[in-house]
Amino acid sequence: MAYCTHCQHYMSPRDLITKPMICPGCGKKLRFDKKEYRAVTRPGIFTALLILFNTYYTPNPIYRAGIAIVLLILWFVFFARFIKYLKTAQMEAF
């Protein structure tokens, strides 16, 4: 679970995704460290782009299906890594 560096209050990944990023403990606005967040989300963006390119530019359906399965597995690996990051992230208060 991510936590506020100001008051050490933990937040669940579900709260981070569905609610505004405001600490329930101290009431400060929270944000992720930009460098860490970019490093974690960049593979997901590239995987999503590869899925789109595969859908439109691979003419052979058999190759397209095989590539799509590999990209789907990569997407699940990314998503598991992203949830793990949300559980351990230190949020910056500003």
Side-chain angles (χ1 to χ4, degrees):
M1 296 204 281
Y3 66 94
C4 174
T5 56
H6 185 262
C7 69
Q8 305 300 323
H9 187 286
Y10 285 94
M11 298 174 64
S12 70
R14 179 179 172 209
D15 291 341
L16 290 173
I17 293 171
T18 59
K19 296 180 180 177
M21 291 198 317
I22 298 174
C23 179
C26 63
K28 292 193 176 200
K29 290 184 179 181
L30 301 173
R31 65 179 175 192
F32 293 105
D33 180 35
K34 288 182 183 180
K35 288 183 181 180
E36 284 182 0
Y37 192 73
R38 284 183 188 156
V40 170
T41 57
R42 189 174 295 131
I45 293 169
F46 289 138
T47 305
L49 289 174
L50 288 173
I51 289 170
L52 288 174
F53 288 141
N54 180 45
T55 302
Y56 292 111
Y57 294 115
T58 306
N60 189 341
I62 294 173
Y63 291 141
R64 187 177 2 181
I67 293 171
I69 290 170
V70 170
L71 290 174
L72 185 63
I73 292 168
L74 287 175
W75 180 259
F76 284 127
V77 169
F78 156 74
F79 193 69
R81 182 179 172 207
F82 183 68
I83 294 298
K84 183 178 177 182
Y85 171 74
L86 288 180
K87 289 179 180 179
T88 61
Q90 293 180 358
M91 306 292 287
E92 296 177 349
F94 67 102

